[in-house]
Short mmCIF file of all heavy atoms in Angstrom, two decimals:
data_model
loop_
_atom_site.label_atom_id
_atom_site.label_comp_id
_atom_site.label_asym_id
_atom_site.label_seq_id
_atom_site.Cartn_x
_atom_site.Cartn_y
_atom_site.Cartn_z
N ALA A 967 0.82 -2.63 -3.66
CA ALA A 967 -0.29 -3.36 -3.06
C ALA A 967 -1.15 -3.91 -4.20
O ALA A 967 -1.60 -3.16 -5.07
CB ALA A 967 -1.12 -2.47 -2.16
N GLN A 968 -1.36 -5.23 -4.18
CA GLN A 968 -2.11 -5.91 -5.22
C GLN A 968 -3.21 -6.74 -4.57
O GLN A 968 -2.99 -7.39 -3.55
CB GLN A 968 -1.16 -6.82 -6.00
CG GLN A 968 -1.79 -7.58 -7.13
CD GLN A 968 -0.79 -8.46 -7.86
OE1 GLN A 968 0.17 -8.95 -7.27
NE2 GLN A 968 -1.00 -8.66 -9.14
N ASP A 969 -4.40 -6.70 -5.16
CA ASP A 969 -5.50 -7.51 -4.66
C ASP A 969 -5.12 -8.98 -4.79
O ASP A 969 -4.79 -9.46 -5.88
CB ASP A 969 -6.78 -7.21 -5.45
CG ASP A 969 -7.98 -7.93 -4.89
OD1 ASP A 969 -8.09 -9.15 -5.10
OD2 ASP A 969 -8.80 -7.27 -4.23
N ALA A 970 -5.15 -9.70 -3.67
CA ALA A 970 -4.71 -11.09 -3.64
C ALA A 970 -5.59 -12.00 -4.49
O ALA A 970 -5.12 -13.01 -5.01
CB ALA A 970 -4.67 -11.60 -2.20
N ASP A 971 -6.87 -11.67 -4.64
CA ASP A 971 -7.78 -12.51 -5.42
C ASP A 971 -7.80 -12.17 -6.90
O ASP A 971 -7.63 -13.03 -7.75
CB ASP A 971 -9.20 -12.41 -4.86
CG ASP A 971 -9.35 -13.06 -3.50
OD1 ASP A 971 -8.62 -14.05 -3.24
OD2 ASP A 971 -10.16 -12.58 -2.70
N SER A 972 -7.98 -10.89 -7.22
CA SER A 972 -8.15 -10.49 -8.62
C SER A 972 -6.85 -10.16 -9.33
O SER A 972 -6.80 -10.17 -10.56
CB SER A 972 -9.07 -9.27 -8.71
OG SER A 972 -8.40 -8.11 -8.22
N GLY A 973 -5.80 -9.84 -8.58
CA GLY A 973 -4.53 -9.43 -9.19
C GLY A 973 -4.48 -7.95 -9.54
O GLY A 973 -3.46 -7.47 -10.03
N GLU A 974 -5.58 -7.22 -9.29
CA GLU A 974 -5.60 -5.79 -9.59
C GLU A 974 -4.54 -5.05 -8.77
O GLU A 974 -4.43 -5.26 -7.56
CB GLU A 974 -6.99 -5.22 -9.27
CG GLU A 974 -7.12 -3.74 -9.52
CD GLU A 974 -8.49 -3.19 -9.13
OE1 GLU A 974 -9.19 -3.83 -8.32
OE2 GLU A 974 -8.85 -2.12 -9.65
N VAL A 975 -3.78 -4.20 -9.44
CA VAL A 975 -2.81 -3.36 -8.74
C VAL A 975 -3.56 -2.19 -8.13
O VAL A 975 -4.26 -1.45 -8.83
CB VAL A 975 -1.70 -2.87 -9.69
CG1 VAL A 975 -0.77 -1.91 -8.98
CG2 VAL A 975 -0.92 -4.05 -10.25
N LEU A 976 -3.43 -2.04 -6.82
CA LEU A 976 -4.22 -1.04 -6.09
C LEU A 976 -3.45 0.25 -5.84
O LEU A 976 -4.01 1.33 -5.96
CB LEU A 976 -4.70 -1.63 -4.76
CG LEU A 976 -5.57 -2.87 -4.88
CD1 LEU A 976 -5.81 -3.48 -3.52
CD2 LEU A 976 -6.88 -2.53 -5.59
N MET A 977 -2.20 0.15 -5.46
CA MET A 977 -1.45 1.36 -5.12
C MET A 977 0.03 1.05 -5.00
O MET A 977 0.43 -0.12 -4.96
CB MET A 977 -1.95 1.97 -3.81
CG MET A 977 -1.87 1.04 -2.62
SD MET A 977 -2.48 1.76 -1.07
CE MET A 977 -1.00 2.59 -0.51
N LEU A 978 0.81 2.10 -4.96
CA LEU A 978 2.23 2.01 -4.66
C LEU A 978 2.51 3.00 -3.54
O LEU A 978 2.03 4.13 -3.58
CB LEU A 978 3.08 2.38 -5.88
CG LEU A 978 4.57 2.40 -5.54
CD1 LEU A 978 5.34 1.43 -6.39
CD2 LEU A 978 5.13 3.78 -5.66
N ALA A 979 3.24 2.56 -2.55
CA ALA A 979 3.62 3.43 -1.44
C ALA A 979 5.02 3.02 -1.01
O ALA A 979 5.62 2.11 -1.58
CB ALA A 979 2.62 3.31 -0.29
N TYR A 980 5.53 3.68 0.00
CA TYR A 980 6.87 3.38 0.49
C TYR A 980 6.81 2.78 1.88
O TYR A 980 5.90 3.08 2.67
CB TYR A 980 7.74 4.65 0.45
CG TYR A 980 8.02 5.03 -0.97
CD1 TYR A 980 7.13 5.82 -1.69
CD2 TYR A 980 9.14 4.54 -1.62
CE1 TYR A 980 7.36 6.12 -3.02
CE2 TYR A 980 9.38 4.84 -2.95
CZ TYR A 980 8.49 5.63 -3.64
OH TYR A 980 8.71 5.93 -4.97
N VAL A 981 7.78 1.93 2.17
CA VAL A 981 7.82 1.19 3.42
C VAL A 981 9.18 1.39 4.07
O VAL A 981 10.21 1.25 3.41
CB VAL A 981 7.55 -0.32 3.15
CG1 VAL A 981 7.78 -1.15 4.39
CG2 VAL A 981 6.15 -0.52 2.61
N SER A 982 9.16 1.73 5.33
CA SER A 982 10.38 1.79 6.14
C SER A 982 10.55 0.45 6.84
O SER A 982 9.65 -0.40 6.83
CB SER A 982 10.27 2.91 7.19
OG SER A 982 9.22 2.61 8.10
N ARG A 983 11.68 0.26 7.48
CA ARG A 983 11.92 -0.97 8.23
C ARG A 983 10.82 -1.15 9.30
O ARG A 983 10.28 -2.24 9.47
CB ARG A 983 13.30 -0.91 8.87
CG ARG A 983 13.74 -2.22 9.48
CD ARG A 983 15.19 -2.16 9.96
NE ARG A 983 16.13 -1.74 8.94
CZ ARG A 983 16.66 -2.54 8.00
NH1 ARG A 983 16.32 -3.81 7.98
NH2 ARG A 983 17.51 -2.08 7.12
N GLU A 984 10.48 -0.07 9.99
CA GLU A 984 9.44 -0.13 11.03
C GLU A 984 8.07 -0.47 10.43
O GLU A 984 7.31 -1.25 11.00
CB GLU A 984 9.37 1.18 11.80
CG GLU A 984 8.33 1.15 12.90
CD GLU A 984 8.19 2.48 13.64
OE1 GLU A 984 8.82 3.48 13.24
OE2 GLU A 984 7.42 2.50 14.62
N ALA A 985 7.76 0.11 9.27
CA ALA A 985 6.47 -0.18 8.63
C ALA A 985 6.37 -1.65 8.25
O ALA A 985 5.32 -2.28 8.44
CB ALA A 985 6.28 0.70 7.39
N LEU A 986 7.45 -2.22 7.74
CA LEU A 986 7.46 -3.63 7.40
C LEU A 986 7.30 -4.50 8.65
O LEU A 986 6.51 -5.45 8.66
CB LEU A 986 8.75 -4.00 6.66
CG LEU A 986 8.89 -5.47 6.25
CD1 LEU A 986 7.73 -5.93 5.38
CD2 LEU A 986 10.23 -5.69 5.55
N GLU A 987 7.98 -4.14 9.71
CA GLU A 987 7.84 -4.89 10.97
C GLU A 987 6.41 -4.84 11.48
O GLU A 987 5.85 -5.86 11.88
CB GLU A 987 8.80 -4.32 12.02
CG GLU A 987 10.25 -4.63 11.75
CD GLU A 987 11.22 -3.89 12.67
OE1 GLU A 987 10.78 -3.22 13.63
OE2 GLU A 987 12.43 -3.98 12.41
N ARG A 988 5.80 -3.66 11.45
CA ARG A 988 4.41 -3.51 11.92
C ARG A 988 3.45 -4.34 11.05
O ARG A 988 2.52 -4.95 11.56
CB ARG A 988 3.97 -2.05 11.89
CG ARG A 988 4.55 -1.22 12.99
CD ARG A 988 3.60 -1.21 14.21
NE ARG A 988 4.04 -0.31 15.22
CZ ARG A 988 3.80 1.00 15.25
NH1 ARG A 988 3.12 1.57 14.28
NH2 ARG A 988 4.25 1.74 16.23
N THR A 989 3.67 -4.30 9.74
CA THR A 989 2.83 -5.08 8.83
C THR A 989 2.93 -6.56 9.16
O THR A 989 1.92 -7.26 9.25
CB THR A 989 3.24 -4.82 7.37
OG1 THR A 989 3.06 -3.43 7.08
CG2 THR A 989 2.40 -5.65 6.40
N ARG A 990 4.14 -7.04 9.36
CA ARG A 990 4.34 -8.46 9.67
C ARG A 990 3.75 -8.83 11.03
O ARG A 990 3.19 -9.91 11.19
CB ARG A 990 5.82 -8.80 9.62
CG ARG A 990 6.39 -8.70 8.19
CD ARG A 990 7.84 -9.02 8.13
NE ARG A 990 8.00 -10.47 8.18
CZ ARG A 990 9.17 -11.08 8.20
NH1 ARG A 990 10.28 -10.38 8.17
NH2 ARG A 990 9.24 -12.39 8.23
N GLU A 991 3.83 -7.92 11.98
CA GLU A 991 3.29 -8.18 13.33
C GLU A 991 1.77 -8.21 13.35
O GLU A 991 1.16 -9.03 14.04
CB GLU A 991 3.78 -7.13 14.31
CG GLU A 991 5.24 -7.22 14.67
CD GLU A 991 5.73 -5.99 15.43
OE1 GLU A 991 4.92 -5.08 15.74
OE2 GLU A 991 6.95 -5.93 15.70
N THR A 992 1.13 -7.27 12.62
CA THR A 992 -0.31 -7.08 12.72
C THR A 992 -1.12 -7.72 11.61
O THR A 992 -2.33 -7.94 11.77
CB THR A 992 -0.65 -5.57 12.73
OG1 THR A 992 -0.31 -5.01 11.46
CG2 THR A 992 0.08 -4.83 13.84
N GLY A 993 -0.49 -7.95 10.45
CA GLY A 993 -1.24 -8.45 9.30
C GLY A 993 -2.00 -7.35 8.58
O GLY A 993 -2.72 -7.62 7.62
N ARG A 994 -1.82 -6.11 9.00
CA ARG A 994 -2.44 -4.95 8.34
C ARG A 994 -1.35 -4.11 7.69
O ARG A 994 -0.27 -3.93 8.28
CB ARG A 994 -3.23 -4.12 9.36
CG ARG A 994 -4.41 -4.89 9.97
CD ARG A 994 -5.21 -4.02 10.94
NE ARG A 994 -4.39 -3.34 11.93
CZ ARG A 994 -4.01 -3.85 13.10
NH1 ARG A 994 -4.36 -5.07 13.44
NH2 ARG A 994 -3.29 -3.12 13.94
N ALA A 995 -1.63 -3.58 6.52
CA ALA A 995 -0.63 -2.84 5.76
C ALA A 995 -0.24 -1.54 6.46
O ALA A 995 -1.10 -0.74 6.83
CB ALA A 995 -1.14 -2.54 4.36
N HIS A 996 1.06 -1.36 6.63
CA HIS A 996 1.64 -0.12 7.15
C HIS A 996 2.62 0.41 6.12
O HIS A 996 3.33 -0.36 5.46
CB HIS A 996 2.38 -0.38 8.47
CG HIS A 996 1.47 -0.62 9.63
ND1 HIS A 996 0.80 -1.81 9.80
CD2 HIS A 996 1.13 0.17 10.66
CE1 HIS A 996 0.07 -1.73 10.91
NE2 HIS A 996 0.26 -0.55 11.44
N TYR A 997 2.66 1.72 6.00
CA TYR A 997 3.52 2.38 5.03
C TYR A 997 4.21 3.56 5.71
O TYR A 997 3.92 3.88 6.86
CB TYR A 997 2.70 2.89 3.84
CG TYR A 997 1.98 1.79 3.09
CD1 TYR A 997 0.63 1.55 3.28
CD2 TYR A 997 2.66 1.00 2.17
CE1 TYR A 997 -0.04 0.55 2.59
CE2 TYR A 997 2.01 -0.01 1.46
CZ TYR A 997 0.66 -0.22 1.68
OH TYR A 997 0.02 -1.21 0.98
N TYR A 998 5.10 4.21 4.95
CA TYR A 998 5.76 5.41 5.45
C TYR A 998 5.42 6.55 4.50
O TYR A 998 5.68 6.47 3.30
CB TYR A 998 7.28 5.23 5.52
CG TYR A 998 7.91 6.38 6.24
CD1 TYR A 998 8.00 6.38 7.62
CD2 TYR A 998 8.37 7.48 5.54
CE1 TYR A 998 8.54 7.45 8.30
CE2 TYR A 998 8.91 8.56 6.21
CZ TYR A 998 9.00 8.55 7.58
OH TYR A 998 9.52 9.62 8.25
N SER A 999 4.83 7.60 5.04
CA SER A 999 4.47 8.77 4.23
C SER A 999 5.67 9.69 4.08
O SER A 999 6.16 10.24 5.07
CB SER A 999 3.31 9.53 4.88
OG SER A 999 3.11 10.75 4.21
N ARG A 1000 6.14 9.84 2.86
CA ARG A 1000 7.26 10.75 2.61
C ARG A 1000 6.83 12.20 2.78
O ARG A 1000 7.60 13.01 3.26
CB ARG A 1000 7.83 10.53 1.21
CG ARG A 1000 8.42 9.13 1.03
CD ARG A 1000 8.97 8.91 -0.34
NE ARG A 1000 7.96 9.12 -1.37
CZ ARG A 1000 8.20 9.24 -2.66
NH1 ARG A 1000 9.44 9.14 -3.11
NH2 ARG A 1000 7.23 9.42 -3.53
N SER A 1001 5.60 12.53 2.42
CA SER A 1001 5.13 13.91 2.52
C SER A 1001 4.88 14.33 3.97
O SER A 1001 5.14 15.47 4.35
CB SER A 1001 3.87 14.13 1.68
OG SER A 1001 2.82 13.29 2.13
N ARG A 1002 4.37 13.41 4.78
CA ARG A 1002 4.10 13.72 6.19
C ARG A 1002 5.25 13.29 7.11
O ARG A 1002 5.23 13.61 8.29
CB ARG A 1002 2.80 13.04 6.64
CG ARG A 1002 1.56 13.57 5.94
CD ARG A 1002 0.27 13.02 6.56
NE ARG A 1002 0.27 11.59 6.78
CZ ARG A 1002 -0.22 10.67 5.95
NH1 ARG A 1002 -0.75 11.05 4.80
NH2 ARG A 1002 -0.19 9.40 6.24
N ASP A 1003 6.20 12.55 6.55
CA ASP A 1003 7.36 12.07 7.31
C ASP A 1003 6.93 11.28 8.54
O ASP A 1003 7.37 11.55 9.66
CB ASP A 1003 8.27 13.24 7.69
CG ASP A 1003 9.64 12.79 8.17
OD1 ASP A 1003 10.10 11.72 7.74
OD2 ASP A 1003 10.23 13.50 9.00
N GLU A 1004 6.02 10.28 8.30
CA GLU A 1004 5.53 9.48 9.42
C GLU A 1004 5.03 8.13 8.96
O GLU A 1004 4.62 7.95 7.81
CB GLU A 1004 4.43 10.21 10.18
CG GLU A 1004 3.16 10.40 9.38
CD GLU A 1004 2.09 11.19 10.13
OE1 GLU A 1004 2.41 11.87 11.10
OE2 GLU A 1004 0.92 11.12 9.70
N LEU A 1005 5.04 7.19 9.87
CA LEU A 1005 4.47 5.87 9.66
C LEU A 1005 2.95 5.98 9.64
O LEU A 1005 2.38 6.78 10.38
CB LEU A 1005 4.91 4.96 10.82
CG LEU A 1005 4.51 3.51 10.78
CD1 LEU A 1005 5.34 2.77 9.73
CD2 LEU A 1005 4.69 2.88 12.14
N TRP A 1006 2.27 5.21 8.78
CA TRP A 1006 0.81 5.20 8.78
C TRP A 1006 0.27 3.82 8.46
O TRP A 1006 0.89 3.05 7.75
CB TRP A 1006 0.24 6.25 7.82
CG TRP A 1006 0.61 6.11 6.37
CD1 TRP A 1006 1.80 6.46 5.80
CD2 TRP A 1006 -0.20 5.62 5.31
NE1 TRP A 1006 1.77 6.20 4.45
CE2 TRP A 1006 0.56 5.70 4.12
CE3 TRP A 1006 -1.51 5.13 5.24
CZ2 TRP A 1006 0.07 5.30 2.88
CZ3 TRP A 1006 -2.00 4.73 4.01
CH2 TRP A 1006 -1.21 4.83 2.85
N GLU A 1007 -0.86 3.53 9.07
CA GLU A 1007 -1.56 2.29 8.80
C GLU A 1007 -2.66 2.56 7.79
O GLU A 1007 -3.49 3.44 7.98
CB GLU A 1007 -2.19 1.73 10.09
CG GLU A 1007 -2.95 0.45 9.87
CD GLU A 1007 -3.61 -0.10 11.12
OE1 GLU A 1007 -3.23 0.31 12.22
OE2 GLU A 1007 -4.52 -0.95 10.97
N LYS A 1008 -2.66 1.80 6.70
CA LYS A 1008 -3.66 1.98 5.67
C LYS A 1008 -5.05 1.75 6.25
O LYS A 1008 -5.33 0.71 6.85
CB LYS A 1008 -3.40 0.99 4.52
CG LYS A 1008 -4.41 1.06 3.41
CD LYS A 1008 -4.31 2.36 2.67
CE LYS A 1008 -5.31 2.40 1.52
NZ LYS A 1008 -5.72 3.75 1.22
N GLY A 1009 -5.90 2.77 6.13
CA GLY A 1009 -7.27 2.66 6.59
C GLY A 1009 -7.52 3.12 8.00
O GLY A 1009 -8.66 3.10 8.46
N ALA A 1010 -6.49 3.56 8.72
CA ALA A 1010 -6.68 4.00 10.10
C ALA A 1010 -7.64 5.18 10.18
O ALA A 1010 -8.42 5.28 11.13
CB ALA A 1010 -5.34 4.36 10.74
N THR A 1011 -7.62 6.05 9.18
CA THR A 1011 -8.52 7.21 9.15
C THR A 1011 -9.80 6.90 8.39
O THR A 1011 -10.90 7.20 8.84
CB THR A 1011 -7.83 8.42 8.49
OG1 THR A 1011 -6.65 8.72 9.23
CG2 THR A 1011 -8.73 9.64 8.47
N SER A 1012 -9.67 6.27 7.23
CA SER A 1012 -10.81 6.06 6.33
C SER A 1012 -11.62 4.80 6.62
O SER A 1012 -12.77 4.71 6.21
CB SER A 1012 -10.30 5.97 4.89
OG SER A 1012 -9.53 4.78 4.71
#
Side-chain angles (χ1 to χ4, degrees):
Q968 181 180 31
D969 186 285
D971 291 328
S972 72
E974 179 183 21
V975 175
L976 300 172
M977 59 181 274
L978 175 121
Y980 291 86
V981 172
S982 64
R983 189 173 306 278
E984 181 183 5
L986 179 56
E987 289 171 7
R988 285 269 187 83
T989 299
R990 293 180 78 183
E991 289 169 4
T992 66
R994 296 182 310 273
H996 287 75
Y997 300 101
Y998 189 85
S999 171
R1000 296 180 303 167
S1001 61
R1002 294 188 313 265
D1003 194 29
E1004 66 183 18
L1005 184 74
W1006 60 283
E1007 179 182 343
K1008 178 68 178 151
T1011 301
S1012 67

